[in-house]
Amino acid sequence: MSQRAFQNILLIGRPGVEGVPATLLALKDYLQSLKVEMMVEKNTSSMMGKHKLKVVNSEKLPADCDLIIVVGGDGSLLNAAHIALPHQLPVLGINRGRLGFLTDIHPDELSKIGAILEGHYREEKRFLIETQLLQDEKILSENVALNDVVLLPGDVAQMIEFDIVINSEFVCTQRADGMIIATPTGSTAYALSGGGPIMHPSLNAVVLVPMFPHTLSSRPVVIDADNHIEICISQNNETSPYVSCDGQTRVALPPGGRIHINKKSELLRLIHPMDYHYFTTLREKLGWEKHAVRSH
């Protein structure tokens, strides 16, 4: 028998997502039937009852781990991406969420994983953006995002005034409820509900989407992802807005604070089954109507 493409698999599932424990157990049984070596992330292990799998800490993954399979929705895959990135591990998603733009495989299609393990898969690379929050030249926080960096209102619901600077060139002053800076991966998430465009994952671009801007002339702007973006929080703000990366953390940024955003050099490796097609996913997830092709 030829050597499998992936030998040692880490299982990750997100607590609180319906159907995840049952799918994890079904996945474990399926992989055991293939005699595949597995390990399970510590928090995920508690959802699986009694098992004999090796339990590992996500911050200290064994060197022989060569694939992460995550069970959940896109939020679960975002969490797994943050674990995978430092180790350059590929990630495969089984969808137990609602939309699932990033998690391809249906729980009833676990046989597709067998084909992937034998080397029949598509690998796609997605870029992330890294964020640095500064106040008086002091770094308050550093984080990375696969989907988006979002500037949000503080504890008081009021507009935020901020300047946008790209490559040290002043763009404009905005007054809005906030701003979404999204990658192509994140363009089908929060930015889409804010009126932003859908960007194909192959694009090297980010989009800046103002949230409920004060002027109707404020519109989403797409720029090259290699640009340096700076958001400067005006001293005129009476409260501190928040900054969130992939919806995972919320950090307060006082008036006068700045957000620095750059493309991260390391890329996330996403694994898809051979029958994966991006536009098929868009059609299915967004309910786009499919017309039969008429013959002439």
Side-chain angles (χ1 to χ4, degrees):
M1 182 179 171
S2 61
Q3 189 179 45
R4 286 196 173 97
F6 303 106
Q7 301 287 325
N8 295 279
I9 298 172
L10 172 65
L11 305 184
I12 296 180
R14 194 171 187 178
V17 179
E18 185 179 354
V20 166
T23 300
L24 280 167
L25 292 172
L27 176 61
K28 173 183 72 73
D29 292 344
Y30 176 71
L31 292 176
Q32 284 178 335
S33 74
L34 299 178
K35 296 182 170 52
V36 175
E37 293 293 325
M38 281 175 287
M39 59 196 87
V40 60
E41 186 266 334
K42 183 173 66 174
N43 294 328
T44 305
S45 176
S46 61
M47 295 188 285
M48 297 178 65
K50 291 184 178 180
H51 61 80
K52 296 181 180 179
L53 301 182
K54 179 181 179 181
V55 179
V56 300
N57 190 314
S58 62
E59 296 175 0
K60 296 181 180 179
L61 298 186
D64 60 355
C65 178
D66 57 10
L67 175 67
I68 293 176
I69 298 182
V70 56
V71 179
D74 284 347
S76 307
L77 195 135
L78 290 175
N79 289 334
H82 287 259
I83 296 170
L85 200 66
H87 308 279
Q88 288 296 285
L89 287 172
V91 180
L92 172 66
I94 299 176
N95 185 28
R96 291 291 344 197
R98 290 185 294 274
L99 281 177
F101 280 99
L102 299 173
T103 47
D104 303 325
I105 295 180
H106 191 274
D108 296 334
E109 300 175 328
L110 296 184
S111 61
K112 288 186 177 182
I113 296 175
I116 288 170
L117 297 183
E118 297 299 332
H120 304 291
Y121 63 86
R122 300 175 186 267
E123 180 172 328
E124 181 186 25
K125 291 183 170 65
R126 302 279 184 102
F127 75 83
L128 297 87
I129 47 180
E130 50 191 2
T131 304
Q132 195 176 63
L133 306 187
L134 298 102
Q135 178 74 17
D136 298 327
E137 304 307 320
K138 178 185 176 183
I139 298 174
L140 302 180
S141 174
E142 293 180 302
N143 214 327
V144 296
L146 176 62
N147 267 357
D148 47 41
V149 176
V150 183
L151 177 65
L152 298 159
D155 296 325
V156 179
Q158 58 184 223
M159 283 195 167
I160 309 164
E161 184 175 300
F162 54 94
D163 293 342
I164 301 172
V165 178
I166 297 175
N167 293 338
S168 302
E169 180 182 342
F170 174 73
V171 177
C172 65
T173 297
Q174 284 263 17
R175 291 190 73 240
D177 280 7
M179 172 69 75
I180 305 167
I181 300 94
T183 65
T185 302
S187 70
T188 52
Y190 195 20
L192 186 62
S193 65
I198 295 173
M199 298 193 295
H200 193 275
S202 64
L203 290 175
N204 185 52
V206 293
V207 61
L208 285 70
V209 182
M211 300 163 59
F212 300 102
H214 182 65
T215 58
L216 293 176
S217 60
S218 295
R219 289 290 181 263
V221 177
V222 178
I223 63 171
D224 191 284
D226 292 315
N227 286 320
H228 171 69
I229 302 169
E230 185 175 359
I231 308 292
C232 307
I233 309 303
S234 171
Q235 294 281 7
N236 297 331
N237 293 285
E238 296 178 0
T239 60
S240 298
Y242 289 104
V243 180
S244 173
C245 291
D246 281 347
Q248 294 194 333
T249 56
R250 284 204 323 164
V251 179
L253 186 60
R258 291 174 291 129
I259 310 168
H260 286 193
I261 299 171
N262 293 286
K263 179 183 175 183
K264 191 169 178 60
S265 56
E266 296 87 357
L267 300 173
L268 174 67
R269 300 169 60 197
L270 279 182
I271 299 296
H272 303 291
M274 289 298 292
D275 62 357
Y276 167 82
H277 298 284
Y278 178 72
F279 289 110
T280 300
T281 301
L282 282 186
R283 256 196 331 271
E284 292 174 352
K285 304 303 181 183
L286 299 179
W288 290 351
E289 191 174 355
K290 181 180 178 182
H291 294 286
V293 177
R294 296 177 181 175
S295 58
H296 296 280

